[in-house]
């Protein structure tokens, strides 16, 4: 008996800001989402709401939705892929932006490749790339470092190391913070980086309160907006 063809793993981007799907999610994403019956998601509640918003013909109660987050074990990841090995297509949806980038969806893509499952990324908003696009910094050479250490001493050490790498490699350094710790991040940036280092703060990208501005560290002092609870990406560069 022949082995059934394997399914396809679609990486489905979602919005960065609420109520922006009509503006930032393309037709292909909506069409693929409308056809799928199996989803691997970071948060079930928000994923259901998003699926319904872009694919209103979906009957949410009939969908199979499995939560895959940063705490998922290898066994849970492997189990989540079993329907694909049996021929069923699936969609991966993260909490914001593009799955697989600073996101547990990367582990699903890794395992899919190992098992010979086709992985298809769909076009959507990425705070990392959109922040880089708008920063005016080096877009030929850049590095994304995800979340920096929570402990203040370790975070300051990491920031100084990134500034050194920025200068040595002529490379834009990109990182992020959880929205409720933005204030502490900015304080450390302004206090511990060189006054001539350029800092771009890109917050609430695509949202009605979008804020993207690039200044020297020295020029940011006394001019930082309230970023509390706003999703933000930080970029530094030397010129």
């Amino acid at each position: 008996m022949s082995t059934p063809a394997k399914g396809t793993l679609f990486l489905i981007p979602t919005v960065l800001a609420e109520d922006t799907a009509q503006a930032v999610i393309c037709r292909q994403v909506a069409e693929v989402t409308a056809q799928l019956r199996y989803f691997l998601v970071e948060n079930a509640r928000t994923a259901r709401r998003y699926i319904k918003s872009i694919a209103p013909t979906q009957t949410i109660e009939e969908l199979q939705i499995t939560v895959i987050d940063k705490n998922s074990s290898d066994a849970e990841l492997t189990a989540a892929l079993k329907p694909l090995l049996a021929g069923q297509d699936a969609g991966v949806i993260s909490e914001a932006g593009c799955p697989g980038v600073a996101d547990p969806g990367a582990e699903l893509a890794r395992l899919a490749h190992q098992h010979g499952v086709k992985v298809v990324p769909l076009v959507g908003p990425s705070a990392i790339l959109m922040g880089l696009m708008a920063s005016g910094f080096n877009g030929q050479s850049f590095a994304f470092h995800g979340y920096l250490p929570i402990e203040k001493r370790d975070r300051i050490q990491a920031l100084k190391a990134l500034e050194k790498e920025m200068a040595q490699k002529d490379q834009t350094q990109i990182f992020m913070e959880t929205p409720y710790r933005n204030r502490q991040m900015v304080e450390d940036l302004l206090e511990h980086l060189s006054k001539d280092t350029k800092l771009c703060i890109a917050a609430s990208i695509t949202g009605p309160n979008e804020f993207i501005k690039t200044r020297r560290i020295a020029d940011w002092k006394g001019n930082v907006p309230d970023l509390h609870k706003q999703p933000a990406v930080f970029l530094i560069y030397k010129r």
Side-chain angles (χ1 to χ4, degrees):
M1 186 170 61
S2 61
T3 303
K6 295 172 182 176
T8 298
L9 186 69
F10 291 95
L11 305 182
I12 300 173
T14 185
V15 295
L16 299 175
E18 289 188 8
D19 302 322
T20 57
Q22 294 300 317
V24 303
I25 300 299
C26 69
R27 180 182 299 177
Q28 181 197 26
V29 173
E31 290 174 347
V32 170
T33 302
Q35 295 170 4
L36 295 173
R37 296 295 177 267
Y38 181 40
F39 292 90
L40 306 166
V41 307
E42 193 172 2
N43 182 291
R45 183 179 63 85
T46 55
R48 289 189 185 99
R49 187 169 66 240
Y50 174 64
I51 291 168
K52 196 65 178 178
S53 73
I54 65 170
T57 60
Q58 285 278 31
T59 302
I60 299 300
E61 293 76 16
E62 296 178 358
L63 301 179
Q64 181 182 355
I65 295 179
T66 298
V67 173
I68 295 296
D69 58 23
K70 63 181 181 180
N71 298 314
S72 296
S73 66
D74 287 343
E76 289 170 328
L77 292 167
T78 301
L81 283 183
K82 284 185 178 180
L84 287 104
L85 301 181
Q88 185 173 3
D89 293 339
V92 180
I93 301 177
S94 72
E95 271 293 84
C98 297
V101 182
D103 173 77
E107 289 299 301
L108 289 168
R110 176 183 63 82
L111 281 176
H113 285 297
Q114 288 181 3
H115 288 87
V117 171
K118 184 178 181 180
V119 178
V120 176
L122 301 181
V123 176
S126 165
I128 300 160
L129 289 181
M130 295 177 81
L132 178 62
M133 289 165 60
S135 68
F137 294 166
N138 189 350
Q140 296 287 336
S141 178
F142 56 90
F144 174 61
H145 301 275
Y147 293 96
L148 300 190
I150 295 175
E151 293 299 325
K152 185 177 180 68
R153 183 177 64 180
D154 295 336
R155 184 170 60 247
I156 292 170
Q157 185 176 355
L159 288 173
K160 290 182 176 180
L162 293 183
E163 186 178 45
K164 183 177 180 180
E165 187 172 346
M166 170 202 76
Q168 290 177 340
K169 296 183 177 180
D170 187 25
Q171 184 180 69
T172 302
Q173 305 297 315
I174 310 170
F175 46 95
M176 58 201 306
E177 184 53 280
T178 54
Y180 58 87
R181 285 201 295 264
N182 282 337
R183 188 178 296 115
Q184 296 95 313
M185 172 64 78
V186 172
E187 288 173 356
D188 288 341
L189 284 163
L190 300 190
E191 183 176 352
H192 297 283
L193 295 190
S194 167
K195 64 181 178 63
D196 292 321
T197 291
K198 290 282 189 68
L199 166 65
C200 176
I201 299 175
S204 298
I205 296 175
T206 73
N209 298 319
E210 179 179 84
F211 176 90
I212 304 175
K213 192 172 290 291
T214 294
R215 291 187 172 120
R216 293 166 59 245
I217 289 292
D219 297 330
W220 271 115
K221 295 181 178 180
N223 292 299
V224 180
D226 182 10
L227 300 173
H228 187 55
K229 292 188 177 181
Q230 293 191 56
V233 176
F234 303 92
L235 306 91
I236 60 172
Y237 191 53
K238 65 180 183 180
R239 59 180 174 81

